[in-house]
Amino acid sequence: MADVLFVIMRWMHISSVATLIGGMIFGRFVMSEAASGLSPDSRESFLDRAAALYRPLVFAAMAGLLISGS
């Protein structure tokens, strides 16, 4: 049973880190390029909406990291 818990915690930790790092890379290289062609008002609205959609994933990933440990 302890081995199963260890594997679950390890996967939770790895998937949480992948979500955080992947989201930052995606935001930096893809979202910024996609928003660069928009007008300033549209760009701000676009990036605010994207951040609002990504925020729950960030909180879940941070909680996953805290629960799973290092």
Side-chain angles (χ1 to χ4, degrees):
M1 186 66 177
D3 292 335
V4 173
L5 184 61
F6 176 76
V7 170
I8 290 170
M9 290 297 158
R10 180 65 56 149
W11 273 102
M12 182 186 298
H13 191 82
I14 292 170
S15 63
S16 297
V17 169
T19 299
L20 291 174
I21 293 175
M24 288 188 292
I25 292 171
F26 182 80
R28 170 64 178 100
F29 292 109
V30 176
M31 295 296 287
S32 63
E33 291 296 322
S36 67
L38 298 173
S39 68
D41 292 337
S42 297
R43 183 181 318 130
E44 184 178 344
S45 174
F46 175 70
L47 293 176
D48 286 345
R49 177 78 172 137
L53 291 172
Y54 185 60
R55 191 170 293 120
L57 289 175
V58 170
F59 290 146
M62 289 187 324
L65 283 173
L66 288 173
I67 291 168
S68 66
S70 55

